Amino acid sequence: MQFGNGFKKNLVLFVAVTSVCLACFGQPALAESGQIVGWGSQVVGGDLSSGFVNVAAGELHSLGLKQDGSIVAWGANGFGQCNIPSPNSGFIAISAGFEHSLGLKQNGSIVAWGWNDYGQCNVPSPNSGFIAIAAGVMGAHSLGLKKDGSIVAWGDNGAGQCNIPSPNSGFIAIAAGGHHSLGLKQNGSIVAWGMNTEGQCNIPSPNTGFIAIAAGYCHSLGLKQDGSIVAWGWNNYGQCNIPSPNSGFIAIAAGRLHSLLLKQDGSIVALGDNGAGQCNIPSPNSGFIAIAGGRYHSLGLKQDGSIVAWGDKYEGQCNIPSPNSGFIAISTGEYHSLGLRQDGSIVAWGDNYNGQCNIPSPNSDFIAIAAGEAHSLGLRQFGIFIKIKTIVAWGGNGDGQCNIPSPNNNFIAIAAGWAHSLGLKQDGSIVAWGWNEYGQCNIPSPNTGFVAISAGDVHSLGLKQDGSIVAWGWNYCGQCNIPEPNSGFIAISAGYYHSLGLKQDGSIVAWGSNYDLNGKYTGQCNVPSPNSGFIAIAAGRWHSLGLKQDGSIVAWGWNDYGQCNIPSPNSGFIAIAASEYHSLAIKKVCQYKLTGDLNDDCRVGWEDVRIFTGQWLDSDGSANLDGFNGINLLDFALLADNWLIDCNIDPNNPACAPK
């Protein structure tokens, strides 16, 4: 098959989003709101507002260490670098590398996860007695500092970055750069080894009085006892130009091509590459106690335990803007996402190279959202007595996908495809604009009686009032061939090569291709059994999601990036969206603090017992209800005290204290 001009961004194709339709039957009520959870190639949704004691920034992902010893991870997750191994408890230190992560446990052992092609996650035996960790910034090696002052190194050693110079003793701190390593000795001197192409291992004289070290891609930093900083190595972006006065510094961090310096007064100084805004510290620049630098993003830990992130949000490494609450709808593009808040404002994150995350002002009065490959749509409603509904479009417009046809009014739903857009009118007709090489904008006649719309990459779906589906556009894999009987449908979702339809009886019908672009079997049309009880659907590029009536999500199809691995506990979800490499969902958050409610669904029941049992005798975790002595029978007794209390039904119960 010959591809047209619309495939000039060839074969990096957008996955159609779930359409937002105010009239869709069976969808979760818009009155419900919650927080966004994301998984797959991008992990987002972690609450960064409080409880953190340290931060770490990798290439395109981030880690935060909680006061309770658990780790929160967000950002790029293509190699599982954000999937913290269970039990997620008892950690005292973290380090984020290129595409792998390290966590140091209270018992002196190291846990490693993520990319492991060079063995950078294979902690050498004996895995004990460690007091510090460091993961390579750009390469694939790891360092561990032992209690006896010796360093253990493993992973890629192509530049000798794992060859610790003799004597391997007396070290008190470690740092892993791109392909070089640093060790700080007890006597205040620095030892450097590995790649030295840019002089990143040439410690300036006098090599004394150092109290901290940091390693970037090809540059190094050392903090002196007198509060001054020494920098050496590659300086093409000015990452080694310490500003004057060079004094009063208390911490240092090296990103890939930029440096972060923390002052005694709690302010941050940033220097070096700023192409993605990684040196633009958000205001107020005060109250910081820790810093971390990634490839194109930076992190700062505040005194109040909150994390501030800035720079490139391409892979979600800066997370959803806080607070992560009050969301009523979500939509995913190829590399960007949208969230609609209950107050009518839109939050956008991810790839912004076409301005698809720049919500036009005023950011208010929106009632629906849709994300395309590189453009975004918002449906706005205003007026007191007469409600006027218009569409706002922003981002990439190479094919006219942002040029809303006139008259721009009386719309009730929107949908965005690869480079075309759909709008559903109040009179039941559909308006389409943008790229039309495969007829994806040619609505079949009669153009009446529609109640819902969905835009795939290059095909479109419309749901009629009589429960039948109309499909048009590219039909190379039968994605427009609705199976018989074409009746009883209440919701639709269009992917790239496949389509989904939700029936009134709660079952899902899937049709089109079961393979990916390369002919690999992915199974996105094989709805798992039992095929019943569904209330919402979302078609990703090569995977599918179904939301059950009980608030759980079922996922099937391509899972190379974990986009089908629903985070635990799989409950309390009220909305879903699927993209190419990641998935999003809105989770209803309990507004009450109820002892024993471990899955935050406002009730204590068997699901909480299952979570409790899974953490039994662990050193820490959410099931440690009394806050000390680990998890034991005392905690189980606290859980049992509130057995079968449901704050959703009985919010006035004394056990249901407002959060």
Side-chain angles (χ1 to χ4, degrees), residues 61-103:
H61 75 292
S62 304
L63 303 177
L65 178 62
K66 285 268 196 178
Q67 201 164 17
D68 63 6
S70 65
I71 296 172
V72 176
W74 65 98
N77 194 34
F79 292 89
Q81 60 266 48
C82 290
N83 299 337
I84 301 107
S86 185
N88 183 3
S89 59
F91 289 102
I92 57 171
I94 50 176
S95 184
F98 179 51
E99 285 172 328
H100 75 292
S101 304
L102 301 178

Side-chain angles (χ1 to χ4, degrees), residues 42-321:
Q42 297 177 13
V43 173
V44 293
D47 182 5
L48 307 183
S49 62
S50 63
F52 289 95
V53 294
N54 212 344
V55 286
E59 175 81 351
L60 293 170
H61 75 292
S62 304
L63 303 177
L65 178 62
K66 285 268 196 178
Q67 201 164 17
D68 63 6
S70 65
I71 296 172
V72 176
W74 65 98
N77 194 34
F79 292 89
Q81 60 266 48
C82 290
N83 299 337
I84 301 107
S86 185
N88 183 3
S89 59
F91 289 102
I92 57 171
I94 50 176
S95 184
F98 179 51
E99 285 172 328
H100 75 292
S101 304
L102 301 178
L104 177 63
K105 289 270 191 175
Q106 203 164 13
N107 63 8
S109 65
I110 296 173
V111 180
W113 62 98
W115 186 42
N116 196 32
D117 283 12
Y118 291 88
Q120 61 267 43
C121 291
N122 300 335
V123 186
S125 186
N127 186 358
S128 60
F130 289 102
I131 58 170
I133 48 177
V137 171
M138 181 63 190
H141 74 293
S142 304
L143 303 177
L145 176 62
K146 290 271 191 177
K147 199 157 40 174
D148 63 6
S150 64
I151 297 173
V152 179
W154 62 99
D156 181 24
N157 195 30
Q161 61 266 48
C162 291
N163 299 336
I164 300 103
S166 184
N168 185 359
S169 59
F171 290 103
I172 58 170
I174 50 177
H179 300 283
H180 74 291
S181 304
L182 302 177
L184 176 62
K185 290 270 190 177
Q186 206 162 12
N187 63 9
S189 66
I190 297 173
V191 179
W193 62 98
M195 185 177 285
N196 195 31
T197 52
E198 302 293 334
Q200 59 265 48
C201 291
N202 299 336
I203 301 105
S205 186
N207 186 359
T208 58
F210 289 102
I211 57 171
I213 50 176
Y217 177 43
C218 285
H219 75 291
S220 304
L221 303 175
L223 175 63
K224 291 266 191 178
Q225 204 161 13
D226 63 5
S228 65
I229 294 171
V230 180
W232 62 99
W234 196 30
N235 194 32
N236 283 29
Y237 291 88
Q239 60 265 47
C240 293
N241 297 337
I242 315 301
S244 183
N246 186 355
S247 61
F249 293 104
I250 59 171
I252 50 177
R256 191 185 188 202
L257 299 171
H258 72 291
S259 302
L260 300 175
L261 322 172
L262 180 61
K263 286 270 192 181
Q264 204 162 13
D265 64 5
S267 65
I268 297 172
V269 177
L271 49 140
D273 180 26
N274 194 32
Q278 60 266 48
C279 290
N280 299 336
I281 300 104
S283 184
N285 185 359
S286 60
F288 290 102
I289 58 173
I291 48 177
R295 181 177 182 177
Y296 298 129
H297 74 291
S298 303
L299 303 176
L301 174 65
K302 291 268 191 176
Q303 206 161 13
D304 63 4
S306 65
I307 294 174
V308 180
W310 62 97
D312 186 17
K313 300 175 177 65
Y314 179 67
E315 288 284 356
Q317 59 266 37
C318 291
N319 217 348
I320 299 161

Side-chain angles (χ1 to χ4, degrees), residues 507-526:
S507 65
I508 296 173
V509 179
W511 62 97
S513 176
N514 243 341
Y515 296 81
D516 69 10
L517 197 63
N518 300 313
K520 176 188 169 188
Y521 180 80
T522 42
Q524 59 266 33
C525 291
N526 298 337

Side-chain angles (χ1 to χ4, degrees), residues 249-542:
F249 293 104
I250 59 171
I252 50 177
R256 191 185 188 202
L257 299 171
H258 72 291
S259 302
L260 300 175
L261 322 172
L262 180 61
K263 286 270 192 181
Q264 204 162 13
D265 64 5
S267 65
I268 297 172
V269 177
L271 49 140
D273 180 26
N274 194 32
Q278 60 266 48
C279 290
N280 299 336
I281 300 104
S283 184
N285 185 359
S286 60
F288 290 102
I289 58 173
I291 48 177
R295 181 177 182 177
Y296 298 129
H297 74 291
S298 303
L299 303 176
L301 174 65
K302 291 268 191 176
Q303 206 161 13
D304 63 4
S306 65
I307 294 174
V308 180
W310 62 97
D312 186 17
K313 300 175 177 65
Y314 179 67
E315 288 284 356
Q317 59 266 37
C318 291
N319 217 348
I320 299 161
S322 188
N324 184 359
S325 61
F327 287 101
I328 58 173
I330 46 177
S331 186
T332 55
E334 186 174 20
Y335 294 116
H336 80 291
S337 302
L338 304 176
L340 176 63
R341 289 194 192 269
Q342 207 162 19
D343 64 5
S345 64
I346 297 173
V347 176
W349 64 98
D351 180 7
N352 195 32
Y353 290 111
N354 288 282
Q356 59 265 51
C357 291
N358 299 335
I359 299 106
S361 185
N363 185 359
S364 60
D365 299 319
F366 288 103
I367 57 173
I369 49 175
E373 183 268 339
H375 75 292
S376 302
L377 302 177
L379 180 60
R380 182 180 273 144
Q381 175 179 275
F382 59 93
I384 300 174
F385 300 109
I386 299 174
K387 300 294 184 185
I388 300 171
K389 300 181 180 75
T390 63
I391 297 174
V392 180
W394 62 97
N397 195 31
D399 293 283
Q401 59 267 45
C402 290
N403 300 335
I404 301 110
S406 184
N408 184 359
N409 57 35
N410 296 326
F411 288 102
I412 61 170
I414 49 177
W418 166 263
H420 76 290
S421 304
L422 302 178
L424 176 62
K425 289 271 191 177
Q426 206 157 11
D427 64 4
S429 65
I430 296 172
V431 179
W433 61 98
W435 183 44
N436 193 33
E437 187 159 338
Y438 291 90
Q440 59 267 43
C441 292
N442 299 337
I443 300 102
S445 183
N447 185 359
T448 58
F450 289 102
V451 294
I453 50 176
S454 183
D457 261 52
V458 280
H459 77 291
S460 304
L461 301 178
L463 177 63
K464 289 270 192 177
Q465 203 163 15
D466 63 5
S468 64
I469 296 173
V470 179
W472 61 97
W474 194 37
N475 195 30
Y476 180 61
C477 294
Q479 58 266 51
C480 291
N481 300 336
I482 300 100
E484 288 291 339
N486 184 359
S487 60
F489 289 102
I490 59 170
I492 48 177
S493 185
Y496 174 45
Y497 275 173
H498 77 295
S499 303
L500 301 177
L502 176 63
K503 290 271 191 177
Q504 203 162 13
D505 64 5
S507 65
I508 296 173
V509 179
W511 62 97
S513 176
N514 243 341
Y515 296 81
D516 69 10
L517 197 63
N518 300 313
K520 176 188 169 188
Y521 180 80
T522 42
Q524 59 266 33
C525 291
N526 298 337
V527 186
S529 183
N531 185 357
S532 60
F534 290 102
I535 59 170
I537 48 177
R541 188 181 186 189
W542 316 117

Side-chain angles (χ1 to χ4, degrees), residues 554-566:
V554 179
W556 62 99
W558 190 43
N559 195 32
D560 284 13
Y561 290 88
Q563 57 268 55
C564 291
N565 299 337
I566 296 48

